[in-house]
Amino acid sequence: MDTRTLLEQDQERFLTRLAQADTPERTVTEIEEELNRILLQYNETCTDERMREAALHAFQTARAAAGLVDSGGEIRVYERTLTAGSGGGRLLSGTGGGKPALPMTVSKPFLGPLAAGAASSVIGALLFIMAPESIRPFAAALMIVGGIVLFWAGTRFGAGKGIPVKRDQIFESKPDPDKIYRRLHTLLTVIDQTLEDVRLSAEADTETPLLTGKEAGLPDEELQLLRGLLETAYTQNDRDAADASISDIRFYLHKHGIDVVDYNVETAKWFNLMPSKGQGTLCPALVKEGTVLIKGTAAAGR
């Protein structure tokens, strides 16, 4: 069983654990524990020592990379106060995440005293100008009192406007469980392909050595020439001409006991595999009596 399937079988439990991890540090711990669990299960079903060793190295790298989840830098929080006809702001620094906070303000109702002071001053001034001389002392006093009230209310109104309320700001940043699962799923897909390459390499090492020279029935130079012609024909756009060339070469090699073999699951051990979106033979393998003379090349797909 491949490592990706082991993760898929544990998806629900793993996502639940990630959702409960309320800090990046705990998230890293959960990822490392999941990788350890998958590696343990993989080793229980894998009997090839080379593949188990390759899996160990791959998962050591994956565990080391898990720490990248906890790589947050400084988060900058902006605080902005809006007033009629103007705008301004200042930058706050923080280490958490969250929405910018707007300051609360407290306004005191000093409009009444302001209006009363202004009215007293105006009335006092009018009386001082228009009333008889006997009323002028009263008018002057009214003007003075109105000015004092106006001055006092104005200063208090300005001081009480826009007073910020102090409040604690709590920031919290949590990794996304679904994103982490998808990234880990992709990582294990790559690891599985690497392990498959190790398996194919191990199988190739146990094969009978390649036949050459007299054992092959044809000189090495001729085999290489025919192999090159086959590779050209397999990649040629004109399929009618290509198929005719391939058929002629197949017939010539068959007379010497050599088979031209295309890529499939059973013959994969006779091919050098290249990563590709598609799958198919790029150049066939030349095989005689079950022994490969020249390995072919194939697109293995992903």
Side-chain angles (χ1 to χ4, degrees):
M1 184 177 297
D2 58 31
T3 63
R4 181 179 57 183
T5 301
L6 293 173
L7 175 64
E8 292 169 352
Q9 292 177 349
D10 195 42
Q11 178 178 358
E12 183 176 353
R13 188 198 70 87
F14 182 47
L15 287 175
T16 300
R17 299 283 296 179
L18 288 176
Q20 294 172 350
D22 53 2
T23 64
E25 293 83 358
R26 284 192 58 187
T27 301
V28 172
T29 300
E30 294 298 337
I31 295 174
E32 292 175 342
E33 290 182 357
E34 180 69 11
L35 290 171
N36 289 337
R37 188 197 66 82
I38 293 175
L39 179 60
L40 179 62
Q41 290 187 329
Y42 178 81
N43 286 336
E44 289 176 351
T45 60
C46 179
T47 58
D48 189 301
E49 189 61 32
R50 289 179 59 176
M51 293 182 66
R52 294 178 67 173
E53 183 177 355
L56 175 62
H57 293 317
F59 273 77
Q60 284 176 338
T61 302
R63 281 196 297 267
L68 293 174
V69 173
D70 184 18
S71 299
E74 179 186 14
I75 296 180
R76 308 171 77 190
V77 181
Y78 286 90
E79 185 178 74
R80 184 174 61 177
T81 304
L82 296 178
T83 59
S86 65
R90 59 196 182 101
L91 175 65
L92 304 178
S93 294
T95 57
K99 295 182 178 180
L102 294 178
M104 297 292 291
T105 61
V106 177
S107 296
K108 296 183 179 180
F110 289 106
L111 278 176
L114 278 171
S120 297
S121 299
V122 172
I123 292 173
L126 291 175
L127 289 175
F128 189 86
I129 296 172
M130 302 177 63
E133 188 173 348
S134 60
I135 305 298
R136 286 184 179 179
F138 172 73
L142 191 61
M143 289 174 57
I144 294 172
V145 172
I148 293 174
V149 172
L150 187 63
F151 176 79
W152 174 82
T155 56
R156 300 305 299 169
F157 180 80
K161 187 177 181 181
I163 299 176
V165 176
K166 293 182 179 180
R167 53 197 303 192
D168 292 334
Q169 294 180 333
I170 301 174
F171 302 100
E172 184 179 81
S173 178
K174 293 181 61 177
D176 188 309
D178 291 327
K179 287 183 179 179
I180 291 175
Y181 176 83
R182 291 195 296 270
R183 300 297 185 272
L184 188 58
H185 190 275
T186 301
L187 174 61
L188 293 183
T189 301
V190 176
I191 289 178
D192 286 335
Q193 184 59 54
T194 301
L195 296 176
E196 177 65 12
D197 292 341
V198 172
R199 184 187 69 80
L200 294 175
S201 177
E203 289 182 357
D205 290 345
T206 60
E207 295 175 359
T208 305
L210 304 184
L211 298 179
T212 57
K214 295 180 179 179
E215 294 175 313
L218 287 174
D220 292 340
E221 294 80 3
E222 187 173 350
L223 283 176
Q224 292 293 343
L225 174 61
L226 294 172
R227 195 259 189 193
L229 293 174
L230 284 170
E231 183 174 15
T232 300
Y234 267 72
T235 56
Q236 188 173 339
N237 291 328
D238 186 348
R239 295 316 309 164
D240 291 337
D243 290 342
S245 298
I246 293 171
S247 178
D248 292 341
I249 297 173
R250 281 180 183 272
F251 179 73
Y252 176 78
L253 290 172
H254 183 71
K255 290 195 302 181
H256 291 82
I258 300 173
D259 296 322
V260 177
V261 180
D262 288 329
Y263 171 79
N264 56 48
V265 176
E266 289 74 20
T267 63
K269 62 183 179 180
W270 292 332
F271 285 81
N272 294 315
L273 303 180
M274 299 179 62
S276 173
K277 292 183 179 179
Q279 189 176 46
T281 305
L282 301 178
C283 180
L286 303 184
V287 181
K288 183 173 185 178
E289 297 177 357
T291 300
V292 63
L293 303 178
I294 300 179
K295 276 192 168 188
T297 305
R302 285 297 186 185

